[in-house]
Amino acid sequence: MLRWDLQRFAQEKTEKATPQRRRDARREGRIARSADVTAAAALLGALLSERIWAPSLWDQLQGMMTVHLGHLHPQELDALTVAHLMRAGALDLALFTAPVLLAAVALAAAAGFAQAGWLFVPKLLLPDLKRVSPVSGLRRIFSGQTLWQLCRSLLKVAAAVALAWSVLQGAGAALANLGMLQPTQMVPWTSSMAFRLALWISAAFALLAVADYAVERFRYERSLRMSRDELREELRRTEGDPLVRSRLRQRARQLAMRRMIQDVRKADVVVTNPTHYAVALRYDARSMAAPTVVGKGQGVWAQRIRDEAREAGVPVLENPPLARTLYRTVEVGAQIPPELYRAVAEVLAYAYRLTGRLPHTRAEGVKA
């Protein structure tokens, strides 16, 4: 006969993460994030902005070369002059390429924000001994994550080589005649070919980045899974002990039933099924627009309502159809619907005749 170890199943992480566990993981900096998505966004941003900015950038570079080198004589090229020209040229080049760099940074920041939102975890800036532990290092080296990173890097290299070979092979004839072109013709053709190759490679990297994010998302969701014991423990921490909550609900029901029984003693009549249902009605024309259900019960509670009513001298009348309808359609504390006015008025009138008590009336009271 096989024995099932139920505790082993209780420890298996088969349950989805709760919102509280997700919040705790986010506070610790554990999120689904792919660095390739950020890198691909930055590369695409730089390429697209360069495409838009390229004509103006080329003119500005020509102007910079004319300004810095157009009036120089060979005898003026000493060490100090060259150093000055290099500093000035580097500053101008930085200003000219700033739009390209800003576009790359902006798209990279947008990609990071899309993955993680606004998140700052100061404790991640502190040194962690686990990161320099040899054991942890060996585990990372031989982990599935490292294997995926290796495969991802090989795929990038293979994609870049394949795309470069395809683009260059398609331009074989033009490459063969490249040496016969003038410099003014060679530069635009070369830049166009380089841009096309870079764009194809960026698109391939973007597809790999999407795949990497999907893998990271899957690993993240799997790492957040909880066992049933963990789920029960978290529910106990966040919502309280289930046993305590059950007792509180039971106590609240008991108090509500006590208040209802007290209201039954003030009722004008109790309508019964005769044994399954009991509904207590009260009508005060000075404060009520229509008769009100002040108590109802089924089974044991129906018997309790009948006993309390008889002890308090409240008439108990059998009317099974009316009792069932009132029990199913009217809640305690609610007034009866207009379609039951006539039936309830007849019951109340009969109860008033039995007790000899006159009801409080007003002109717009219930009409029999």
Side-chain angles (χ1 to χ4, degrees):
M1 182 177 180
L2 295 176
R3 293 184 178 180
W4 294 90
D5 187 359
L6 298 180
Q7 185 62 28
R8 179 172 63 86
F9 288 102
Q11 295 298 330
E12 290 183 355
K13 297 183 181 295
T14 57
E15 307 299 321
K16 291 184 177 180
T18 61
Q20 180 62 38
R21 187 175 180 89
R22 294 182 183 277
R23 286 192 294 268
D24 292 343
R26 182 175 177 81
R27 280 194 292 265
E28 295 173 359
R30 294 167 53 199
I31 55 174
R33 180 179 178 276
S34 170
D36 282 1
V37 173
T38 305
L43 184 57
L44 285 173
L47 285 174
L48 295 177
S49 62
E50 187 273 336
R51 189 65 171 179
I52 298 172
W53 191 252
S56 176
L57 179 61
W58 181 251
D59 293 339
Q60 290 177 353
L61 286 175
Q62 285 182 327
M64 182 188 70
M65 298 294 290
T66 302
V67 169
H68 293 300
L69 303 177
H71 305 290
L72 287 178
H73 298 285
Q75 58 269 23
E76 295 178 358
L77 292 177
D78 55 10
L80 293 177
T81 303
V82 172
H84 173 73
L85 290 175
M86 291 181 64
R87 286 194 298 269
L91 180 59
D92 289 341
L93 185 61
L95 293 176
F96 296 156
T97 57
V100 178
L101 297 177
L102 288 176
V105 172
L107 280 184
F113 186 82
Q115 294 181 81
W118 177 254
L119 180 64
F120 178 67
V121 185
K123 72 175 185 179
L124 294 180
L125 302 177
L126 301 176
D128 188 359
L129 295 179
K130 293 181 179 179
R131 298 177 185 174
V132 297
S133 170
V135 177
S136 300
L138 289 174
R139 288 177 180 174
R140 286 194 297 269
I141 291 175
F142 296 102
S143 65
Q145 175 68 7
T146 303
L147 180 60
W148 164 246
Q149 290 177 354
L150 176 61
C151 293
R152 187 182 60 192
S153 300
L154 294 176
L155 285 173
K156 287 182 182 179
V157 174
V161 171
L163 289 172
W165 175 258
S166 176
V167 171
L168 294 176
Q169 189 178 28
L175 283 174
N177 300 323
L178 187 61
M180 295 182 291
L181 297 178
Q182 296 295 326
T184 54
Q185 298 173 326
M186 186 184 303
V187 172
W189 185 89
T190 305
S191 62
S192 176
M193 179 64 63
F195 175 79
R196 186 169 60 175
L197 177 58
L199 189 61
W200 278 107
I201 292 176
S202 299
F205 284 4
L207 292 177
L208 290 175
V210 172
D212 182 57
Y213 180 77
V215 172
E216 291 296 329
R217 189 74 188 181
F218 173 77
R219 294 181 64 253
Y220 174 72
E221 292 293 335
R222 188 175 60 182
S223 68
L224 291 182
R225 286 179 184 173
M226 307 172 67
S227 65
R228 293 188 177 181
D229 286 346
E230 291 174 337
L231 186 60
R232 283 194 292 267
E233 181 62 26
E234 181 171 303
L235 290 175
R236 186 177 293 110
R237 290 198 310 268
T238 56
E239 301 182 7
D241 193 328
L243 181 59
V244 174
R245 286 187 285 116
S246 176
R247 290 177 178 175
L248 290 176
R249 287 195 296 267
Q250 183 180 4
R251 179 64 175 171
R253 285 195 298 267
Q254 291 175 349
L255 292 176
M257 295 305 293
R258 285 184 182 178
R259 288 193 297 268
M260 186 186 71
I261 292 300
Q262 293 174 357
D263 292 337
V264 167
R265 302 179 69 87
K266 302 175 185 178
D268 292 324
V269 66
V270 172
V271 184
T272 64
N273 191 30
T275 57
H276 294 85
Y277 301 104
V279 180
L281 297 168
R282 185 172 184 270
Y283 179 58
D284 185 349
R286 295 174 302 179
S287 59
M288 300 177 183
T292 301
V293 174
V294 295
K296 68 177 184 178
Q298 182 180 11
V300 176
W301 283 106
Q303 182 63 44
R304 178 75 182 277
I305 290 173
R306 290 194 297 270
D307 294 342
E308 292 291 336
R310 292 190 179 100
E311 185 178 341
V314 177
V316 179
L317 304 179
E318 293 185 12
N319 190 331
L322 181 59
R324 287 194 298 268
T325 302
L326 288 171
Y327 184 86
R328 293 170 181 170
T329 60
V330 186
E331 296 297 328
V332 176
Q335 297 178 351
I336 65 172
E339 58 268 21
L340 296 179
Y341 280 178
R342 179 174 295 275
V344 172
E346 293 175 354
V347 171
L348 286 173
Y350 184 73
Y352 293 148
R353 287 196 298 268
L354 287 178
T355 59
R357 182 169 59 85
L358 294 177
H360 299 290
T361 60
R362 65 177 182 179
E364 61 273 20
V366 176
K367 297 180 181 180

